[in-house]
Amino acid sequence: MVENYDIYQTPFNSRYCSSEMKYLFSPRNRFSTWRKLWLWLAEAEMELGLKGISEAATRQMQEHVEIKDDEFAVVAAEEKRQRHDVMAHVHAFGLVAPGAAGIIHLGATSCYVTDNADLIFLRDGLNMLLPKLATVIRKLKDFALDHKDLPCLGYTHGQPAQLVTVGKRTCLWIQDLLMDLRNIERARDDLRFRGVKGTTGTQASFLALFAGDHQKVKELDSLVTKKADFDTVHPAYQISSQTYSRKIDVDVLSSLGSFGATCQRIGADIRHLAMLKEMEEPFEADQIGSSAMAYKRNPMRSERLCSLGRYLTNLPKNAIETYAGQWFERTLDDSAVRRICIPEAYLCADACLILLDNICSGFVLYPAIIQRRINQELPFMVTENIIMALTAKGISRQDAHEEIRVLSQQAAHNVKVDGLENDLLERIRNTDFFKPIVGQLEQLLDPKTFVGRAPEQVAEFIQGDFALLDKDRQAETTKGEEAALTNGEVQLALNKYLAVTSTTKIASVHC
């Protein structure tokens, strides 16, 4: 017998993903779902008066709807003989439900079970991912609010730029994740059921079963769709070929691939901030950063997030090319690639969300380092304010510009060539030209005067107008007034997920 250690194991299963997502795409769940679909078809056909289907037969099917371990060997042997996976499962199901053996798969084609099951998995998988994504947004929201007033250097072109705040930068990530939330919600809400369509989508076999009764065929389609728990607002697709359109896979995987790009963006920002020693991901007490350099605190979770995000971003290409390569009513070259890329897209998104949850639950900020980096750059940034202060004292703007230009270049030489600290402010204090405004320097250098409306933007984006009220006014506000004022974009998006995002549990990650 071959042990698991002797065969390839996908890291998604062994290292990265949640149990519920691994189960969703497991053989047991897949083939048990096929059996449910056969049961629902038989029940619906019986309810519509089709002769030859008994309650005893559907009861046997119900009793054996979950495939058992020993049945997998039966299926494997039968598939080897028949070279057809669906018919092998029809055979195995009939062995444990002999009273139904003659009516299992009645009127159906293989895609009745394979495609409808896939649509169920697509829907259920997105329903698993969305609350996890909302939880990440909620944790980032709390972090952003806690640090909405903390100034830090902004960076454009990778170079120091005008100050922002830690909370404002976090809102850049939140805004992108909200787009992912909406994209994934829309992809889920657009999903429909393939339903009962027959070999080429015409329902001809079912029309024959019901002796040309079009209404009963339509009712059969509707009944099975309802049994599969698809929303009545989004019933079965009216038009299909043998398969549901592979454009649907493109739509769903594109929303997940876009989320993968967001993961790369956030992970890269965290890695750069760790390089600058301004912020780090969680680092546990016994964690080892390097096998050789014992002092290191490598951002390995954010690096893994970028790696998995990159893989996820590239998966939609498989769905796009598969859709583009389909012929007429269907070709089977879609099968093998879909068996791989669809589960992997969901497993990869799940892994990314587990990582994001863990990282966002334990950010480590270093305010002293942040302030030191501000102090290194702020003297250059304040020069425009100094010029304005001098002109207010009646001094020529051009003269002020020239004086401060010379001193700035001298200070820059100190920093870049000699490796010294930025001494521009000291040079300004020691130059007679600037004596009229020396007493204002501390006020001009207050970092909070350089962040614009960043704190207010954070509050408005997350909480709406309620966050802008002072604490006394908030305490006096009635529940109704608070509800009307709490209309921030983030909070509105999270309201539907309150039950699942209120937990403080932190997702654990593999070492």
PDB file of all heavy atoms in Angstrom, residues 6 32 55 79 88 114 178 223 284 308 369 372 374 379 391 405 446 464 482:
ATOM      1  N   ASP A   6       4.509   9.084   0.176  1.00  0.00           N
ATOM      2  CA  ASP A   6       5.170   8.621  -1.038  1.00  0.00           C
ATOM      3  C   ASP A   6       4.516   9.149  -2.315  1.00  0.00           C
ATOM      4  O   ASP A   6       4.930   8.783  -3.416  1.00  0.00           O
ATOM      5  CB  ASP A   6       5.182   7.086  -1.077  1.00  0.00           C
ATOM      6  CG  ASP A   6       5.977   6.508   0.073  1.00  0.00           C
ATOM      7  OD1 ASP A   6       7.071   7.022   0.349  1.00  0.00           O
ATOM      8  OD2 ASP A   6       5.477   5.559   0.705  1.00  0.00           O
ATOM      9  N   SER A  32     -21.125  12.787  -3.626  1.00  0.00           N
ATOM     10  CA  SER A  32     -22.377  12.809  -2.851  1.00  0.00           C
ATOM     11  C   SER A  32     -23.328  13.847  -3.434  1.00  0.00           C
ATOM     12  O   SER A  32     -24.554  13.655  -3.434  1.00  0.00           O
ATOM     13  CB  SER A  32     -22.085  13.101  -1.379  1.00  0.00           C
ATOM     14  OG  SER A  32     -21.329  12.056  -0.788  1.00  0.00           O
ATOM     15  N   GLU A  55     -41.767   5.753  -4.381  1.00  0.00           N
ATOM     16  CA  GLU A  55     -41.237   6.358  -3.160  1.00  0.00           C
ATOM     17  C   GLU A  55     -40.185   5.451  -2.533  1.00  0.00           C
ATOM     18  O   GLU A  55     -39.218   5.936  -1.927  1.00  0.00           O
ATOM     19  CB  GLU A  55     -42.379   6.619  -2.170  1.00  0.00           C
ATOM     20  CG  GLU A  55     -43.299   7.756  -2.583  1.00  0.00           C
ATOM     21  CD  GLU A  55     -44.314   8.091  -1.505  1.00  0.00           C
ATOM     22  OE1 GLU A  55     -44.210   7.532  -0.397  1.00  0.00           O
ATOM     23  OE2 GLU A  55     -45.207   8.930  -1.762  1.00  0.00           O
ATOM     24  N   GLU A  79     -15.147   2.337 -13.628  1.00  0.00           N
ATOM     25  CA  GLU A  79     -14.676   3.353 -14.569  1.00  0.00           C
ATOM     26  C   GLU A  79     -13.557   2.794 -15.443  1.00  0.00           C
ATOM     27  O   GLU A  79     -13.465   3.118 -16.635  1.00  0.00           O
ATOM     28  CB  GLU A  79     -14.184   4.599 -13.825  1.00  0.00           C
ATOM     29  CG  GLU A  79     -13.781   5.723 -14.773  1.00  0.00           C
ATOM     30  CD  GLU A  79     -13.387   7.010 -14.072  1.00  0.00           C
ATOM     31  OE1 GLU A  79     -13.545   7.100 -12.831  1.00  0.00           O
ATOM     32  OE2 GLU A  79     -12.906   7.926 -14.764  1.00  0.00           O
ATOM     33  N   ALA A  88     -19.907   5.123 -14.221  1.00  0.00           N
ATOM     34  CA  ALA A  88     -19.366   4.303 -13.130  1.00  0.00           C
ATOM     35  C   ALA A  88     -20.065   4.641 -11.825  1.00  0.00           C
ATOM     36  O   ALA A  88     -20.374   3.749 -11.010  1.00  0.00           O
ATOM     37  CB  ALA A  88     -17.859   4.525 -13.008  1.00  0.00           C
ATOM     38  N   THR A 114     -22.412  16.764 -13.434  1.00  0.00           N
ATOM     39  CA  THR A 114     -21.103  17.408 -13.336  1.00  0.00           C
ATOM     40  C   THR A 114     -21.228  18.928 -13.294  1.00  0.00           C
ATOM     41  O   THR A 114     -20.633  19.596 -12.433  1.00  0.00           O
ATOM     42  CB  THR A 114     -20.201  16.995 -14.508  1.00  0.00           C
ATOM     43  OG1 THR A 114     -20.828  17.342 -15.753  1.00  0.00           O
ATOM     44  CG2 THR A 114     -19.928  15.494 -14.485  1.00  0.00           C
ATOM     45  N   LEU A 178     -12.748  46.291  -0.689  1.00  0.00           N
ATOM     46  CA  LEU A 178     -14.185  46.510  -0.889  1.00  0.00           C
ATOM     47  C   LEU A 178     -14.577  46.255  -2.338  1.00  0.00           C
ATOM     48  O   LEU A 178     -15.665  45.720  -2.619  1.00  0.00           O
ATOM     49  CB  LEU A 178     -14.565  47.938  -0.491  1.00  0.00           C
ATOM     50  CG  LEU A 178     -14.659  48.250   1.002  1.00  0.00           C
ATOM     51  CD1 LEU A 178     -14.952  49.734   1.204  1.00  0.00           C
ATOM     52  CD2 LEU A 178     -15.721  47.397   1.682  1.00  0.00           C
ATOM     53  N   LEU A 223     -38.453  22.705 -10.445  1.00  0.00           N
ATOM     54  CA  LEU A 223     -38.445  21.913  -9.209  1.00  0.00           C
ATOM     55  C   LEU A 223     -37.028  21.515  -8.801  1.00  0.00           C
ATOM     56  O   LEU A 223     -36.635  21.644  -7.637  1.00  0.00           O
ATOM     57  CB  LEU A 223     -39.301  20.651  -9.386  1.00  0.00           C
ATOM     58  CG  LEU A 223     -40.801  20.777  -9.128  1.00  0.00           C
ATOM     59  CD1 LEU A 223     -41.507  19.469  -9.498  1.00  0.00           C
ATOM     60  CD2 LEU A 223     -41.058  21.102  -7.656  1.00  0.00           C
ATOM     61  N   GLU A 284       6.033  35.685  16.252  1.00  0.00           N
ATOM     62  CA  GLU A 284       5.790  34.967  17.501  1.00  0.00           C
ATOM     63  C   GLU A 284       7.070  34.804  18.321  1.00  0.00           C
ATOM     64  O   GLU A 284       8.190  34.889  17.793  1.00  0.00           O
ATOM     65  CB  GLU A 284       5.170  33.606  17.190  1.00  0.00           C
ATOM     66  CG  GLU A 284       3.763  33.748  16.589  1.00  0.00           C
ATOM     67  CD  GLU A 284       3.317  32.538  15.793  1.00  0.00           C
ATOM     68  OE1 GLU A 284       3.857  31.455  16.035  1.00  0.00           O
ATOM     69  OE2 GLU A 284       2.464  32.701  14.916  1.00  0.00           O
ATOM     70  N   LEU A 308       1.194  33.485  -3.185  1.00  0.00           N
ATOM     71  CA  LEU A 308      -0.109  32.877  -3.460  1.00  0.00           C
ATOM     72  C   LEU A 308      -0.989  33.828  -4.270  1.00  0.00           C
ATOM     73  O   LEU A 308      -1.740  33.393  -5.150  1.00  0.00           O
ATOM     74  CB  LEU A 308      -0.798  32.495  -2.153  1.00  0.00           C
ATOM     75  CG  LEU A 308      -0.178  31.323  -1.391  1.00  0.00           C
ATOM     76  CD1 LEU A 308      -0.822  31.170  -0.016  1.00  0.00           C
ATOM     77  CD2 LEU A 308      -0.306  30.018  -2.173  1.00  0.00           C
ATOM     78  N   ILE A 369      10.256  54.987  15.053  1.00  0.00           N
ATOM     79  CA  ILE A 369      10.921  54.907  13.748  1.00  0.00           C
ATOM     80  C   ILE A 369      10.177  55.764  12.732  1.00  0.00           C
ATOM     81  O   ILE A 369      10.779  56.474  11.913  1.00  0.00           O
ATOM     82  CB  ILE A 369      10.996  53.453  13.253  1.00  0.00           C
ATOM     83  CG1 ILE A 369      11.848  52.610  14.199  1.00  0.00           C
ATOM     84  CG2 ILE A 369      11.536  53.385  11.829  1.00  0.00           C
ATOM     85  CD1 ILE A 369      13.305  52.975  14.206  1.00  0.00           C
ATOM     86  N   ARG A 372      11.088  59.268  13.376  1.00  0.00           N
ATOM     87  CA  ARG A 372      12.460  59.554  12.973  1.00  0.00           C
ATOM     88  C   ARG A 372      12.556  59.758  11.464  1.00  0.00           C
ATOM     89  O   ARG A 372      13.250  60.666  10.982  1.00  0.00           O
ATOM     90  CB  ARG A 372      13.399  58.425  13.403  1.00  0.00           C
ATOM     91  CG  ARG A 372      14.879  58.765  13.167  1.00  0.00           C
ATOM     92  CD  ARG A 372      15.775  57.714  13.775  1.00  0.00           C
ATOM     93  NE  ARG A 372      15.855  56.530  12.922  1.00  0.00           N
ATOM     94  CZ  ARG A 372      16.565  55.431  13.233  1.00  0.00           C
ATOM     95  NH1 ARG A 372      17.206  55.368  14.393  1.00  0.00           N
ATOM     96  NH2 ARG A 372      16.595  54.407  12.412  1.00  0.00           N
ATOM     97  N   ILE A 374      10.143  60.774   9.554  1.00  0.00           N
ATOM     98  CA  ILE A 374       9.520  62.075   9.280  1.00  0.00           C
ATOM     99  C   ILE A 374      10.523  63.190   9.539  1.00  0.00           C
ATOM    100  O   ILE A 374      10.670  64.129   8.737  1.00  0.00           O
ATOM    101  CB  ILE A 374       8.254  62.268  10.144  1.00  0.00           C
ATOM    102  CG1 ILE A 374       7.143  61.324   9.677  1.00  0.00           C
ATOM    103  CG2 ILE A 374       7.780  63.716  10.089  1.00  0.00           C
ATOM    104  CD1 ILE A 374       5.917  61.345  10.562  1.00  0.00           C
ATOM    105  N   PRO A 379      12.187  68.599   7.286  1.00  0.00           N
ATOM    106  CA  PRO A 379      12.813  69.899   7.016  1.00  0.00           C
ATOM    107  C   PRO A 379      12.761  70.315   5.556  1.00  0.00           C
ATOM    108  O   PRO A 379      12.593  71.509   5.248  1.00  0.00           O
ATOM    109  CB  PRO A 379      14.264  69.678   7.473  1.00  0.00           C
ATOM    110  CG  PRO A 379      14.155  68.661   8.552  1.00  0.00           C
ATOM    111  CD  PRO A 379      13.067  67.731   8.090  1.00  0.00           C
ATOM    112  N   THR A 391       7.245  85.659   3.562  1.00  0.00           N
ATOM    113  CA  THR A 391       6.528  86.662   2.759  1.00  0.00           C
ATOM    114  C   THR A 391       5.481  87.388   3.599  1.00  0.00           C
ATOM    115  O   THR A 391       5.203  88.569   3.370  1.00  0.00           O
ATOM    116  CB  THR A 391       5.855  86.013   1.538  1.00  0.00           C
ATOM    117  OG1 THR A 391       4.938  85.001   1.968  1.00  0.00           O
ATOM    118  CG2 THR A 391       6.899  85.379   0.621  1.00  0.00           C
ATOM    119  N   ARG A 405      16.972  77.617  -0.857  1.00  0.00           N
ATOM    120  CA  ARG A 405      17.484  76.665  -1.842  1.00  0.00           C
ATOM    121  C   ARG A 405      18.939  76.330  -1.552  1.00  0.00           C
ATOM    122  O   ARG A 405      19.351  75.156  -1.575  1.00  0.00           O
ATOM    123  CB  ARG A 405      17.344  77.243  -3.246  1.00  0.00           C
ATOM    124  CG  ARG A 405      17.799  76.290  -4.357  1.00  0.00           C
ATOM    125  CD  ARG A 405      17.882  77.014  -5.705  1.00  0.00           C
ATOM    126  NE  ARG A 405      18.966  78.006  -5.718  1.00  0.00           N
ATOM    127  CZ  ARG A 405      20.257  77.695  -5.932  1.00  0.00           C
ATOM    128  NH1 ARG A 405      20.629  76.430  -6.135  1.00  0.00           N
ATOM    129  NH2 ARG A 405      21.173  78.653  -5.935  1.00  0.00           N
ATOM    130  N   ASP A 446       5.091  70.971  12.880  1.00  0.00           N
ATOM    131  CA  ASP A 446       4.169  69.988  13.465  1.00  0.00           C
ATOM    132  C   ASP A 446       3.670  69.051  12.366  1.00  0.00           C
ATOM    133  O   ASP A 446       2.983  69.484  11.429  1.00  0.00           O
ATOM    134  CB  ASP A 446       2.986  70.704  14.114  1.00  0.00           C
ATOM    135  CG  ASP A 446       2.025  69.725  14.780  1.00  0.00           C
ATOM    136  OD1 ASP A 446       2.267  68.501  14.708  1.00  0.00           O
ATOM    137  OD2 ASP A 446       1.030  70.180  15.370  1.00  0.00           O
ATOM    138  N   GLY A 464     -18.777  57.241   8.336  1.00  0.00           N
ATOM    139  CA  GLY A 464     -19.743  58.249   7.938  1.00  0.00           C
ATOM    140  C   GLY A 464     -19.711  59.443   8.870  1.00  0.00           C
ATOM    141  O   GLY A 464     -18.789  59.633   9.667  1.00  0.00           O
ATOM    142  N   GLU A 482     -28.095  57.927  15.078  1.00  0.00           N
ATOM    143  CA  GLU A 482     -26.803  57.278  14.832  1.00  0.00           C
ATOM    144  C   GLU A 482     -26.853  56.437  13.559  1.00  0.00           C
ATOM    145  O   GLU A 482     -25.930  56.449  12.743  1.00  0.00           O
ATOM    146  CB  GLU A 482     -26.424  56.391  16.022  1.00  0.00           C
ATOM    147  CG  GLU A 482     -25.103  55.677  15.840  1.00  0.00           C
ATOM    148  CD  GLU A 482     -24.732  54.819  17.034  1.00  0.00           C
ATOM    149  OE1 GLU A 482     -25.266  55.045  18.138  1.00  0.00           O
ATOM    150  OE2 GLU A 482     -23.914  53.907  16.849  1.00  0.00           O
TER     151      GLU A 482
END
